[in-house]
Amino acid sequence: MRIETQLSEDDSDLVQKLADRRGLQKDRAYTELIRTGVDVGMRRERVKELIVEFFEDEKERHDRRMAALRDEYEIDEVEHVDEYQFYVVCNGIKYSFGSPDDLRFVNGESVDRSLCPECGSEDIEFDADAMDTDGTYWTCGDCGHAFDRADRKGVPDEDEADRVVEFVRRRQDLFEYVVGQLTALLDGVMCAYGGQSHTEWLGPGGFMYSNGFQRVDIPFWTTDTEQIRFRVNDYTAEYESLRNPLYPAAVNRLTADYLALVREIEAVNPDADRVEPIFIDRRGRKPEIIEVVGRKYDETRLPLHTVGYEVEKVEPSMDDLEPEYDAEEDGPVTWIRITNDKVIEQEGDS
């Protein structure tokens, strides 16, 4: 593989800044950048391979279970219009859904309106008081018939419609199991700790997984790694996420010595629930703030080794902490603030 060694002026300046910050020769810094990029690229390719392997293994099992489910409920056809709308054909009747719990049309006719089962009138009234007496909850305004269950307009067979709804729910459970297994797989290879991920549907068949720093867009059931796309989110993740091997680019946002300071504070406050940077000081001041959650002001310790920074403790007010902070849930909070003028490089500016 040939690596292009010609740098643009901006890229050359970036490499020089990296070299100066780490005390390296420029060519050594450039080599580290290349190695980092190759490493990240290889990790991403491996994640893509794992996704494809998962789909190849799971698709046959899912289709087999799905076929058995269709046979059990005598379903002729299932077709998606988009991610949120689909229809099911059962015994020649077409049932259209807005979601697994939302049957909307039968053969194109809305089921939102209820009918009197005696005369078919839509002029019916619900009697809530009758629920505690004889159980005849509805009364027809045309024929006076009292009944406990209204027919749905457009539904020729209520029992058949209920069976179709039950099939759709079981089908959804089967699919959500696959989504859960895929999410668990990605949690294992992309999250420092499971359960911190975010998933979202991006349209018909488009699935997105994010670990807070970078995301991967996946056409569901794809067996082509070229169709899977990685991208970096526009914001930096929480400090713990930066420790994950898939996060080397985050050092562009937070320098190594600043992260070392966070680790020093974490080391001398081992009983804290959480120690992490606050990227924007909500009081509008310039210095970075490091937040120690679960430790009172008097209990919080300052580190002896501060990697060239000068720091002080701050007891934040409720105005400082709102609206993100929940006193009952998060407990006490102490801030540690940098007070000297040490320069911190951040993606091209200081």
Side-chain angles (χ1 to χ4, degrees):
M1 178 180 69
R2 181 179 181 275
I3 297 177
E4 179 58 57
T5 58
Q6 292 296 114
L7 293 175
S8 68
E9 184 176 347
D10 289 344
D11 288 339
S12 180
D13 290 343
L14 178 62
V15 174
Q16 186 63 62
K17 286 181 179 179
L18 176 65
D20 293 343
R21 188 163 67 233
R22 302 194 59 183
L24 302 173
Q25 294 294 322
K26 187 174 181 179
D27 57 349
R28 176 63 184 277
Y30 185 49
T31 300
E32 285 202 3
L33 274 176
I34 292 173
R35 287 175 176 168
T36 300
V38 170
D39 182 54
V40 172
M42 291 177 65
R43 289 176 184 275
R44 287 179 169 181
E45 288 304 314
R46 181 55 185 147
V47 172
K48 292 180 183 181
E49 291 171 0
L50 289 172
I51 293 170
V52 167
E53 290 170 8
F54 171 80
F55 282 150
E56 289 174 342
D57 291 342
E58 195 63 38
K59 187 68 162 65
E60 181 181 352
R61 193 159 39 239
H62 174 270
D63 288 350
R64 186 170 62 250
R65 293 170 180 169
M66 187 65 197
L69 203 59
R70 288 180 58 172
D71 288 344
E72 179 182 349
Y73 286 87
E74 301 177 341
I75 302 299
D76 303 328
E77 184 181 356
V78 179
E79 185 69 34
H80 271 268
V81 178
D82 57 37
E83 199 58 50
Y84 305 101
Q85 299 182 44
F86 58 95
Y87 64 83
V88 176
V89 178
C90 180
N91 294 325
I93 299 175
K94 183 175 180 179
Y95 300 83
S96 301
F97 289 80
S99 71
D101 295 315
D102 183 18
L103 174 62
R104 293 185 176 180
F105 300 93
V106 176
N107 284 336
E109 191 168 357
S110 173
V111 300
D112 288 340
R113 299 297 300 274
S114 297
L115 304 174
C116 171
E118 184 71 18
C119 68
S121 172
E122 294 185 27
D123 183 17
I124 60 176
E125 294 183 359
F126 182 74
D127 184 2
D129 295 335
M131 296 181 68
D132 298 326
T133 55
D134 58 2
T136 54
Y137 315 136
W138 299 86
T139 302
C140 178
D142 285 348
C143 69
H145 179 61
F147 48 95
D148 61 353
R149 179 178 176 180
D151 289 338
R152 284 178 290 179
K153 184 179 181 182
V155 182
D157 187 331
E158 290 278 353
D159 292 335
E160 185 80 355
D162 289 343
R163 275 180 51 81
V164 173
V165 170
E166 183 179 327
F167 161 78
V168 168
R169 287 174 180 165
R170 291 185 62 184
R171 172 182 176 272
Q172 184 67 17
D173 289 342
L174 181 60
F175 184 70
E176 286 181 355
Y177 168 79
V178 177
V179 174
Q181 292 296 103
L182 175 62
T183 301
L185 167 67
L186 294 173
D187 280 344
V189 297
M190 287 184 64
C191 264
Y193 301 100
Q196 295 180 342
S197 60
H198 169 69
T199 61
E200 184 178 334
W201 288 102
L202 305 176
F207 183 74
M208 182 275 288
Y209 175 95
S210 172
N211 62 6
F213 175 66
Q214 59 181 346
R215 58 181 273 183
V216 55
D217 296 341
I218 307 166
F220 215 82
W221 297 124
T222 186
T223 55
D224 182 3
T225 57
E226 294 299 317
Q227 294 181 351
I228 301 172
R229 296 280 187 265
F230 272 90
R231 67 183 68 187
V232 176
N233 290 340
D234 294 332
Y235 57 90
T236 303
E238 66 277 5
Y239 170 63
E240 290 297 339
S241 298
L242 303 177
R243 295 176 171 176
N244 188 282
L246 286 174
Y247 290 121
V251 178
N252 288 336
R253 295 282 185 95
L254 296 174
T255 58
D257 54 358
Y258 180 63
L259 294 180
L261 175 62
V262 178
R263 288 192 292 271
E264 292 290 338
I265 294 172
E266 189 175 40
V268 298
N269 293 281
D271 297 331
D273 296 333
R274 189 170 71 250
V275 177
E276 60 184 15
I278 295 178
F279 305 115
I280 299 174
D281 185 341
R282 288 183 282 271
R283 292 174 297 181
R285 296 176 181 171
K286 196 72 173 178
E288 278 72 14
I289 297 291
I290 296 169
E291 188 171 60
V292 182
V293 179
R295 298 283 288 179
K296 296 179 181 178
Y297 178 86
D298 294 337
E299 299 172 342
T300 303
R301 301 182 183 92
L302 294 177
L304 294 176
H305 181 55
T306 59
V307 294
Y309 292 104
E310 296 174 6
V311 296
E312 67 176 6
K313 287 195 296 184
V314 177
E315 189 169 15
S317 67
M318 291 307 298
D319 290 337
D320 292 325
L321 296 170
E322 289 180 349
E324 295 89 349
Y325 177 74
D326 185 334
E328 293 185 1
E329 181 176 335
D330 294 337
V333 175
T334 301
W335 283 356
I336 295 178
R337 185 174 65 201
I338 298 170
T339 60
N340 63 336
D341 295 327
K342 184 170 181 178
V343 174
I344 296 179
E345 300 288 346
Q346 291 188 359
E347 291 195 0
D349 58 48
S350 297

